[in-house]
Amino acid sequence: MAPPRSCLLAALLVLCACTAVPPPAPAAAANVPITTCRSFCGNITVDYPFALHPGCGHAGLRDLLFCINGALMLHLPSGSYRVLDVDYAYRGLTLHDPAMSDCRALDRTPRGRGNGFVLEPWREPYLAPDPDNVFLLLGCRATSPLFQGFPDRHLPCRNVSGMGCGDYLACPAWDDHYAAGRRGGGGDDDFDAPPGAGAPPECCAVPWAAIRAVNVSRLECEGYSSAYSLAPVRAAGGAAGWAYGIRASWTLPESNRGFCGACRATGGACGHDMESHADLCLCGDWNSTSNCDSSPDAAPSGAAAHSPDAVAAVRWAVLASGLTSLWWHASRSNLW
């Protein structure tokens, strides 16, 4: 016996209602805004291994750069420095410290002016001043750690890439200093005098590798200057032709070599895990430890089967099958 027409109509209404119900929304994913990893501050591009956003860039250079009122700043325990240039080809940063002396003006106080350049211990493997960067420590006391522990006159003061105190003391900035009756001396020829034999040198030029931390107050100095050389020849005009500032370079571990290129080639952004600090390839709503085409740590391949389009297709297929069945039963009932 064929089912009553009322039952067939009820079944048809149920099928239509089920098909009209929208599919459940997918679970909210922890979307990573990969488009923000490469950004700008003023006219400077901020890109890997640096970043302005948490989770982007290399972990060894995290929490380092900040964009403040259009100025890119680098923050260290020793202070804040204006970033003048980021050279990604040669892995170099050019920094400016407003508390630093140069050839035109001396900036020094009895308690120390400026804090030099000091890195966190965990950051030292990744960032350091260039070997061709000279730090000129000014007005250091005889009790300074610079002059202690060198009974054989092996002072750390020396020229760096052709830059030293002999030229720096000829700068116009020292004219007012000497006119005010301050002590003189301190040329490169004076460094042979052992501590205690007289007044300490007015200026002591050191490379970063000699002391590993240019802490002006801890070294009991009144101030400092810094200059760097990018050319293999000595600058014309002595210290007046030097490039003043701090030139720092960054280094990434061998294990990181090729990681970012492979990540970017597959549409990802290079970042790091904010807890473990391990390298991560940011792929939108999921992360990978290699690249966005990797399968072991990729999003489940069956996810597409649960997409809204797939669910809607299944429901329409069910509706079509149900309508066909109802039509068949209705045809049979007409025959009866």
Side-chain angles (χ1 to χ4, degrees), residues 288-321:
S288 168
T289 56
S290 54
N291 58 68
C292 295
D293 283 347
S294 58
S295 55
D297 50 355
S301 58
H306 301 287
S307 65
D309 291 341
V311 173
V314 171
R315 288 182 173 177
W316 281 110
V318 171
L319 177 60
S321 176

PDB file of all heavy atoms in Angstrom, residues 288-321:
ATOM      1  N   SER A 288      54.219  26.035  10.263  1.00  0.00           N
ATOM      2  CA  SER A 288      55.020  24.878   9.863  1.00  0.00           C
ATOM      3  C   SER A 288      56.445  25.062  10.367  1.00  0.00           C
ATOM      4  O   SER A 288      56.937  26.183  10.480  1.00  0.00           O
ATOM      5  CB  SER A 288      55.009  24.720   8.335  1.00  0.00           C
ATOM      6  OG  SER A 288      55.979  23.790   7.915  1.00  0.00           O
ATOM      7  N   THR A 289      57.101  23.959  10.664  1.00  0.00           N
ATOM      8  CA  THR A 289      58.509  24.018  11.060  1.00  0.00           C
ATOM      9  C   THR A 289      59.437  23.964   9.859  1.00  0.00           C
ATOM     10  O   THR A 289      60.649  24.003  10.026  1.00  0.00           O
ATOM     11  CB  THR A 289      58.842  22.858  12.013  1.00  0.00           C
ATOM     12  OG1 THR A 289      58.495  21.617  11.378  1.00  0.00           O
ATOM     13  CG2 THR A 289      58.075  22.998  13.315  1.00  0.00           C
ATOM     14  N   SER A 290      58.867  23.880   8.652  1.00  0.00           N
ATOM     15  CA  SER A 290      59.707  23.852   7.451  1.00  0.00           C
ATOM     16  C   SER A 290      59.187  24.830   6.408  1.00  0.00           C
ATOM     17  O   SER A 290      59.751  25.901   6.206  1.00  0.00           O
ATOM     18  CB  SER A 290      59.799  22.434   6.881  1.00  0.00           C
ATOM     19  OG  SER A 290      58.497  21.896   6.660  1.00  0.00           O
ATOM     20  N   ASN A 291      58.078  24.500   5.727  1.00  0.00           N
ATOM     21  CA  ASN A 291      57.500  25.397   4.735  1.00  0.00           C
ATOM     22  C   ASN A 291      56.016  25.093   4.592  1.00  0.00           C
ATOM     23  O   ASN A 291      55.501  24.141   5.183  1.00  0.00           O
ATOM     24  CB  ASN A 291      58.222  25.269   3.391  1.00  0.00           C
ATOM     25  CG  ASN A 291      58.183  23.861   2.850  1.00  0.00           C
ATOM     26  OD1 ASN A 291      57.112  23.353   2.468  1.00  0.00           O
ATOM     27  ND2 ASN A 291      59.327  23.178   2.823  1.00  0.00           N
ATOM     28  N   CYS A 292      55.323  25.898   3.814  1.00  0.00           N
ATOM     29  CA  CYS A 292      53.872  25.776   3.713  1.00  0.00           C
ATOM     30  C   CYS A 292      53.421  24.641   2.797  1.00  0.00           C
ATOM     31  O   CYS A 292      52.218  24.404   2.661  1.00  0.00           O
ATOM     32  CB  CYS A 292      53.275  27.099   3.235  1.00  0.00           C
ATOM     33  SG  CYS A 292      53.487  28.454   4.412  1.00  0.00           S
ATOM     34  N   ASP A 293      54.354  23.945   2.156  1.00  0.00           N
ATOM     35  CA  ASP A 293      54.006  22.779   1.347  1.00  0.00           C
ATOM     36  C   ASP A 293      54.275  21.479   2.077  1.00  0.00           C
ATOM     37  O   ASP A 293      54.038  20.401   1.536  1.00  0.00           O
ATOM     38  CB  ASP A 293      54.810  22.777   0.036  1.00  0.00           C
ATOM     39  CG  ASP A 293      54.254  23.779  -0.962  1.00  0.00           C
ATOM     40  OD1 ASP A 293      53.130  24.267  -0.730  1.00  0.00           O
ATOM     41  OD2 ASP A 293      54.952  24.074  -1.949  1.00  0.00           O
ATOM     42  N   SER A 294      54.803  21.579   3.294  1.00  0.00           N
ATOM     43  CA  SER A 294      55.153  20.362   4.028  1.00  0.00           C
ATOM     44  C   SER A 294      53.893  19.638   4.467  1.00  0.00           C
ATOM     45  O   SER A 294      52.869  20.247   4.754  1.00  0.00           O
ATOM     46  CB  SER A 294      56.011  20.709   5.248  1.00  0.00           C
ATOM     47  OG  SER A 294      55.306  21.607   6.089  1.00  0.00           O
ATOM     48  N   SER A 295      53.946  18.295   4.487  1.00  0.00           N
ATOM     49  CA  SER A 295      52.771  17.509   4.851  1.00  0.00           C
ATOM     50  C   SER A 295      52.749  17.049   6.297  1.00  0.00           C
ATOM     51  O   SER A 295      51.695  16.993   6.901  1.00  0.00           O
ATOM     52  CB  SER A 295      52.646  16.287   3.924  1.00  0.00           C
ATOM     53  OG  SER A 295      53.835  15.532   3.940  1.00  0.00           O
ATOM     54  N   PRO A 296      53.895  16.700   6.916  1.00  0.00           N
ATOM     55  CA  PRO A 296      53.796  16.185   8.283  1.00  0.00           C
ATOM     56  C   PRO A 296      53.182  17.153   9.256  1.00  0.00           C
ATOM     57  O   PRO A 296      52.422  16.789  10.138  1.00  0.00           O
ATOM     58  CB  PRO A 296      55.256  15.881   8.647  1.00  0.00           C
ATOM     59  CG  PRO A 296      55.957  15.719   7.348  1.00  0.00           C
ATOM     60  CD  PRO A 296      55.268  16.661   6.421  1.00  0.00           C
ATOM     61  N   ASP A 297      53.495  18.445   9.111  1.00  0.00           N
ATOM     62  CA  ASP A 297      52.969  19.415  10.061  1.00  0.00           C
ATOM     63  C   ASP A 297      52.014  20.384   9.387  1.00  0.00           C
ATOM     64  O   ASP A 297      51.815  21.492   9.833  1.00  0.00           O
ATOM     65  CB  ASP A 297      54.118  20.185  10.719  1.00  0.00           C
ATOM     66  CG  ASP A 297      55.098  20.726   9.687  1.00  0.00           C
ATOM     67  OD1 ASP A 297      54.934  20.428   8.487  1.00  0.00           O
ATOM     68  OD2 ASP A 297      56.004  21.448  10.102  1.00  0.00           O
ATOM     69  N   ALA A 298      51.424  19.952   8.266  1.00  0.00           N
ATOM     70  CA  ALA A 298      50.466  20.817   7.573  1.00  0.00           C
ATOM     71  C   ALA A 298      49.071  20.613   8.130  1.00  0.00           C
ATOM     72  O   ALA A 298      48.826  19.754   8.959  1.00  0.00           O
ATOM     73  CB  ALA A 298      50.487  20.507   6.078  1.00  0.00           C
ATOM     74  N   ALA A 299      48.136  21.437   7.653  1.00  0.00           N
ATOM     75  CA  ALA A 299      46.749  21.287   8.075  1.00  0.00           C
ATOM     76  C   ALA A 299      46.224  19.949   7.579  1.00  0.00           C
ATOM     77  O   ALA A 299      46.654  19.450   6.539  1.00  0.00           O
ATOM     78  CB  ALA A 299      45.917  22.428   7.502  1.00  0.00           C
ATOM     79  N   PRO A 300      45.297  19.303   8.301  1.00  0.00           N
ATOM     80  CA  PRO A 300      44.779  17.998   7.901  1.00  0.00           C
ATOM     81  C   PRO A 300      44.237  18.032   6.481  1.00  0.00           C
ATOM     82  O   PRO A 300      43.512  18.938   6.093  1.00  0.00           O
ATOM     83  CB  PRO A 300      43.670  17.724   8.922  1.00  0.00           C
ATOM     84  CG  PRO A 300      44.004  18.584  10.092  1.00  0.00           C
ATOM     85  CD  PRO A 300      44.681  19.790   9.537  1.00  0.00           C
ATOM     86  N   SER A 301      44.625  17.019   5.701  1.00  0.00           N
ATOM     87  CA  SER A 301      44.200  16.988   4.304  1.00  0.00           C
ATOM     88  C   SER A 301      42.708  16.783   4.168  1.00  0.00           C
ATOM     89  O   SER A 301      42.123  17.109   3.142  1.00  0.00           O
ATOM     90  CB  SER A 301      44.942  15.860   3.564  1.00  0.00           C
ATOM     91  OG  SER A 301      44.679  14.610   4.190  1.00  0.00           O
ATOM     92  N   GLY A 302      42.049  16.240   5.182  1.00  0.00           N
ATOM     93  CA  GLY A 302      40.609  16.023   5.107  1.00  0.00           C
ATOM     94  C   GLY A 302      39.798  17.253   5.424  1.00  0.00           C
ATOM     95  O   GLY A 302      38.568  17.199   5.437  1.00  0.00           O
ATOM     96  N   ALA A 303      40.458  18.337   5.672  1.00  0.00           N
ATOM     97  CA  ALA A 303      39.725  19.552   6.040  1.00  0.00           C
ATOM     98  C   ALA A 303      38.839  20.020   4.906  1.00  0.00           C
ATOM     99  O   ALA A 303      37.768  20.587   5.127  1.00  0.00           O
ATOM    100  CB  ALA A 303      40.710  20.666   6.419  1.00  0.00           C
ATOM    101  N   ALA A 304      39.297  19.788   3.667  1.00  0.00           N
ATOM    102  CA  ALA A 304      38.489  20.245   2.537  1.00  0.00           C
ATOM    103  C   ALA A 304      37.156  19.528   2.481  1.00  0.00           C
ATOM    104  O   ALA A 304      36.165  20.063   1.976  1.00  0.00           O
ATOM    105  CB  ALA A 304      39.262  20.011   1.235  1.00  0.00           C
ATOM    106  N   ALA A 305      37.108  18.299   3.015  1.00  0.00           N
ATOM    107  CA  ALA A 305      35.861  17.543   2.969  1.00  0.00           C
ATOM    108  C   ALA A 305      34.802  18.161   3.865  1.00  0.00           C
ATOM    109  O   ALA A 305      33.621  17.893   3.714  1.00  0.00           O
ATOM    110  CB  ALA A 305      36.116  16.096   3.389  1.00  0.00           C
ATOM    111  N   HIS A 306      35.232  18.990   4.822  1.00  0.00           N
ATOM    112  CA  HIS A 306      34.287  19.611   5.747  1.00  0.00           C
ATOM    113  C   HIS A 306      34.033  21.063   5.398  1.00  0.00           C
ATOM    114  O   HIS A 306      33.484  21.801   6.196  1.00  0.00           O
ATOM    115  CB  HIS A 306      34.827  19.521   7.182  1.00  0.00           C
ATOM    116  CG  HIS A 306      35.069  18.097   7.619  1.00  0.00           C
ATOM    117  ND1 HIS A 306      34.065  17.233   7.909  1.00  0.00           N
ATOM    118  CD2 HIS A 306      36.233  17.409   7.775  1.00  0.00           C
ATOM    119  CE1 HIS A 306      34.576  16.048   8.264  1.00  0.00           C
ATOM    120  NE2 HIS A 306      35.890  16.141   8.176  1.00  0.00           N
ATOM    121  N   SER A 307      34.457  21.481   4.214  1.00  0.00           N
ATOM    122  CA  SER A 307      34.246  22.867   3.827  1.00  0.00           C
ATOM    123  C   SER A 307      32.766  23.109   3.558  1.00  0.00           C
ATOM    124  O   SER A 307      32.011  22.184   3.259  1.00  0.00           O
ATOM    125  CB  SER A 307      35.075  23.182   2.567  1.00  0.00           C
ATOM    126  OG  SER A 307      34.588  22.422   1.485  1.00  0.00           O
ATOM    127  N   PRO A 308      32.284  24.354   3.622  1.00  0.00           N
ATOM    128  CA  PRO A 308      30.877  24.663   3.383  1.00  0.00           C
ATOM    129  C   PRO A 308      30.397  24.208   2.012  1.00  0.00           C
ATOM    130  O   PRO A 308      29.274  23.734   1.865  1.00  0.00           O
ATOM    131  CB  PRO A 308      30.841  26.191   3.528  1.00  0.00           C
ATOM    132  CG  PRO A 308      32.006  26.531   4.397  1.00  0.00           C
ATOM    133  CD  PRO A 308      33.054  25.529   4.074  1.00  0.00           C
ATOM    134  N   ASP A 309      31.223  24.338   0.977  1.00  0.00           N
ATOM    135  CA  ASP A 309      30.801  23.922  -0.359  1.00  0.00           C
ATOM    136  C   ASP A 309      30.564  22.421  -0.419  1.00  0.00           C
ATOM    137  O   ASP A 309      29.607  21.949  -1.049  1.00  0.00           O
ATOM    138  CB  ASP A 309      31.870  24.319  -1.384  1.00  0.00           C
ATOM    139  CG  ASP A 309      31.949  25.830  -1.558  1.00  0.00           C
ATOM    140  OD1 ASP A 309      30.967  26.497  -1.181  1.00  0.00           O
ATOM    141  OD2 ASP A 309      32.978  26.316  -2.057  1.00  0.00           O
ATOM    142  N   ALA A 310      31.432  21.656   0.240  1.00  0.00           N
ATOM    143  CA  ALA A 310      31.271  20.205   0.211  1.00  0.00           C
ATOM    144  C   ALA A 310      30.008  19.783   0.945  1.00  0.00           C
ATOM    145  O   ALA A 310      29.257  18.908   0.497  1.00  0.00           O
ATOM    146  CB  ALA A 310      32.497  19.537   0.836  1.00  0.00           C
ATOM    147  N   VAL A 311      29.744  20.411   2.094  1.00  0.00           N
ATOM    148  CA  VAL A 311      28.548  20.072   2.860  1.00  0.00           C
ATOM    149  C   VAL A 311      27.288  20.414   2.079  1.00  0.00           C
ATOM    150  O   VAL A 311      26.308  19.661   2.037  1.00  0.00           O
ATOM    151  CB  VAL A 311      28.574  20.800   4.222  1.00  0.00           C
ATOM    152  CG1 VAL A 311      27.260  20.599   4.962  1.00  0.00           C
ATOM    153  CG2 VAL A 311      29.740  20.295   5.061  1.00  0.00           C
ATOM    154  N   ALA A 312      27.271  21.584   1.415  1.00  0.00           N
ATOM    155  CA  ALA A 312      26.105  21.986   0.637  1.00  0.00           C
ATOM    156  C   ALA A 312      25.856  21.023  -0.518  1.00  0.00           C
ATOM    157  O   ALA A 312      24.702  20.682  -0.827  1.00  0.00           O
ATOM    158  CB  ALA A 312      26.311  23.405   0.108  1.00  0.00           C
ATOM    159  N   ALA A 313      26.914  20.546  -1.164  1.00  0.00           N
ATOM    160  CA  ALA A 313      26.753  19.609  -2.276  1.00  0.00           C
ATOM    161  C   ALA A 313      26.113  18.309  -1.809  1.00  0.00           C
ATOM    162  O   ALA A 313      25.235  17.739  -2.473  1.00  0.00           O
ATOM    163  CB  ALA A 313      28.114  19.335  -2.918  1.00  0.00           C
ATOM    164  N   VAL A 314      26.540  17.832  -0.642  1.00  0.00           N
ATOM    165  CA  VAL A 314      25.960  16.596  -0.099  1.00  0.00           C
ATOM    166  C   VAL A 314      24.474  16.786   0.191  1.00  0.00           C
ATOM    167  O   VAL A 314      23.633  15.918  -0.094  1.00  0.00           O
ATOM    168  CB  VAL A 314      26.719  16.167   1.166  1.00  0.00           C
ATOM    169  CG1 VAL A 314      25.996  15.021   1.864  1.00  0.00           C
ATOM    170  CG2 VAL A 314      28.139  15.743   0.807  1.00  0.00           C
ATOM    171  N   ARG A 315      24.120  17.953   0.758  1.00  0.00           N
ATOM    172  CA  ARG A 315      22.709  18.188   1.115  1.00  0.00           C
ATOM    173  C   ARG A 315      21.829  18.265  -0.133  1.00  0.00           C
ATOM    174  O   ARG A 315      20.720  17.755  -0.148  1.00  0.00           O
ATOM    175  CB  ARG A 315      22.598  19.464   1.931  1.00  0.00           C
ATOM    176  CG  ARG A 315      23.170  19.294   3.342  1.00  0.00           C
ATOM    177  CD  ARG A 315      23.012  20.538   4.153  1.00  0.00           C
ATOM    178  NE  ARG A 315      23.410  20.312   5.525  1.00  0.00           N
ATOM    179  CZ  ARG A 315      23.423  21.254   6.453  1.00  0.00           C
ATOM    180  NH1 ARG A 315      23.060  22.478   6.126  1.00  0.00           N
ATOM    181  NH2 ARG A 315      23.790  20.976   7.680  1.00  0.00           N
ATOM    182  N   TRP A 316      22.306  18.921  -1.179  1.00  0.00           N
ATOM    183  CA  TRP A 316      21.513  18.990  -2.400  1.00  0.00           C
ATOM    184  C   TRP A 316      21.355  17.614  -3.032  1.00  0.00           C
ATOM    185  O   TRP A 316      20.313  17.304  -3.612  1.00  0.00           O
ATOM    186  CB  TRP A 316      22.161  19.954  -3.395  1.00  0.00           C
ATOM    187  CG  TRP A 316      21.881  21.395  -3.081  1.00  0.00           C
ATOM    188  CD1 TRP A 316      22.746  22.321  -2.625  1.00  0.00           C
ATOM    189  CD2 TRP A 316      20.614  22.056  -3.187  1.00  0.00           C
ATOM    190  NE1 TRP A 316      22.129  23.528  -2.429  1.00  0.00           N
ATOM    191  CE2 TRP A 316      20.797  23.403  -2.774  1.00  0.00           C
ATOM    192  CE3 TRP A 316      19.317  21.651  -3.582  1.00  0.00           C
ATOM    193  CZ2 TRP A 316      19.779  24.335  -2.749  1.00  0.00           C
ATOM    194  CZ3 TRP A 316      18.296  22.595  -3.565  1.00  0.00           C
ATOM    195  CH2 TRP A 316      18.530  23.913  -3.143  1.00  0.00           C
ATOM    196  N   ALA A 317      22.384  16.792  -2.901  1.00  0.00           N
ATOM    197  CA  ALA A 317      22.282  15.423  -3.427  1.00  0.00           C
ATOM    198  C   ALA A 317      21.222  14.642  -2.667  1.00  0.00           C
ATOM    199  O   ALA A 317      20.428  13.878  -3.244  1.00  0.00           O
ATOM    200  CB  ALA A 317      23.637  14.726  -3.334  1.00  0.00           C
ATOM    201  N   VAL A 318      21.182  14.820  -1.335  1.00  0.00           N
ATOM    202  CA  VAL A 318      20.167  14.140  -0.512  1.00  0.00           C
ATOM    203  C   VAL A 318      18.777  14.618  -0.905  1.00  0.00           C
ATOM    204  O   VAL A 318      17.819  13.842  -1.009  1.00  0.00           O
ATOM    205  CB  VAL A 318      20.446  14.381   0.980  1.00  0.00           C
ATOM    206  CG1 VAL A 318      19.287  13.874   1.830  1.00  0.00           C
ATOM    207  CG2 VAL A 318      21.735  13.694   1.381  1.00  0.00           C
ATOM    208  N   LEU A 319      18.627  15.946  -1.114  1.00  0.00           N
ATOM    209  CA  LEU A 319      17.324  16.489  -1.486  1.00  0.00           C
ATOM    210  C   LEU A 319      16.863  15.926  -2.833  1.00  0.00           C
ATOM    211  O   LEU A 319      15.691  15.533  -2.991  1.00  0.00           O
ATOM    212  CB  LEU A 319      17.393  18.013  -1.556  1.00  0.00           C
ATOM    213  CG  LEU A 319      16.116  18.732  -2.013  1.00  0.00           C
ATOM    214  CD1 LEU A 319      14.965  18.425  -1.056  1.00  0.00           C
ATOM    215  CD2 LEU A 319      16.346  20.233  -2.112  1.00  0.00           C
ATOM    216  N   ALA A 320      17.779  15.878  -3.791  1.00  0.00           N
ATOM    217  CA  ALA A 320      17.409  15.354  -5.106  1.00  0.00           C
ATOM    218  C   ALA A 320      16.982  13.892  -5.009  1.00  0.00           C
ATOM    219  O   ALA A 320      16.000  13.461  -5.632  1.00  0.00           O
ATOM    220  CB  ALA A 320      18.589  15.503  -6.068  1.00  0.00           C
ATOM    221  N   SER A 321      17.719  13.129  -4.209  1.00  0.00           N
ATOM    222  CA  SER A 321      17.368  11.717  -4.041  1.00  0.00           C
ATOM    223  C   SER A 321      16.000  11.577  -3.383  1.00  0.00           C
ATOM    224  O   SER A 321      15.172  10.739  -3.766  1.00  0.00           O
ATOM    225  CB  SER A 321      18.441  11.018  -3.202  1.00  0.00           C
ATOM    226  OG  SER A 321      18.076   9.680  -2.962  1.00  0.00           O
TER     227      SER A 321
END
